[in-house]
Amino acid sequence: LQAYRQERAMEPATRGFLMGAVSSNRFCAKLAPEQVEAIVDTMAHFRFDVGDVVVREGEEGSHFFVLQEGLLEVTVAGSTTNTMVPGNSFGGIALVHNCPRTATLTATAASSVWAVRCDTFR
């Protein structure tokens, strides 16, 4: 994942976008605003090209993500099950339940995500 990291300042509009996306995630919905802020404050930016795998089914999860730009195809056992669009968040299942990733997400367009490490997320 670190190979895809890009230094990028978090503009106020981006911060608001991320606050909303994190708050609306089912694993974060009951967090206090200051807890959501703590998550957003530690997020890093990552950039993926078409065909790049963001997370792979079966691998250990280390980050929680919010898609800012692009599209990500979701596959489970090789079958497409969904498409992630900007504002969608993912990766919480593996972190909350300490289990392997349940799906593979592959960029189908140039995509950028913001991510937070599991130690902050927990």
Side-chain angles (χ1 to χ4, degrees), residues 48-59:
F48 297 91
D49 292 323
V50 173
D52 288 341
V53 174
V54 180
V55 299
R56 190 175 306 278
E57 183 177 6
E59 291 184 354

Side-chain angles (χ1 to χ4, degrees), residues 12 32 34 42 60 64 67 74 76 90 94-95 98-99 107-109 112 115:
E34 58 271 10
T42 61
E60 181 181 345
F64 171 79
L67 178 61
V74 181
V76 176
F90 58 96
L95 301 184
N98 197 27
C99 65
T108 56
S112 66

Side-chain angles (χ1 to χ4, degrees), residues 9 12 27-28 34 37-38 50 60 65-67 75 78-79 82 84 91 97 107 122:
F27 295 109
C28 301
E34 58 271 10
E37 286 181 19
V50 173
E60 181 181 345
F65 301 88
V66 174
L67 178 61
T75 58
S79 297
N82 200 1
M84 293 285 179
H97 297 292
R122 289 186 181 139

Side-chain angles (χ1 to χ4, degrees), residues 5-6 86 95 116 121-122:
R5 186 172 179 169
Q6 290 188 340
L95 301 184
V116 61
F121 185 81
R122 289 186 181 139

Side-chain angles (χ1 to χ4, degrees), residues 8-26:
R8 184 172 178 179
M10 189 182 295
E11 302 293 329
T14 299
R15 182 177 172 74
F17 170 82
L18 294 172
M19 293 283 293
V22 171
S23 295
S24 66
N25 179 274
R26 66 181 172 160

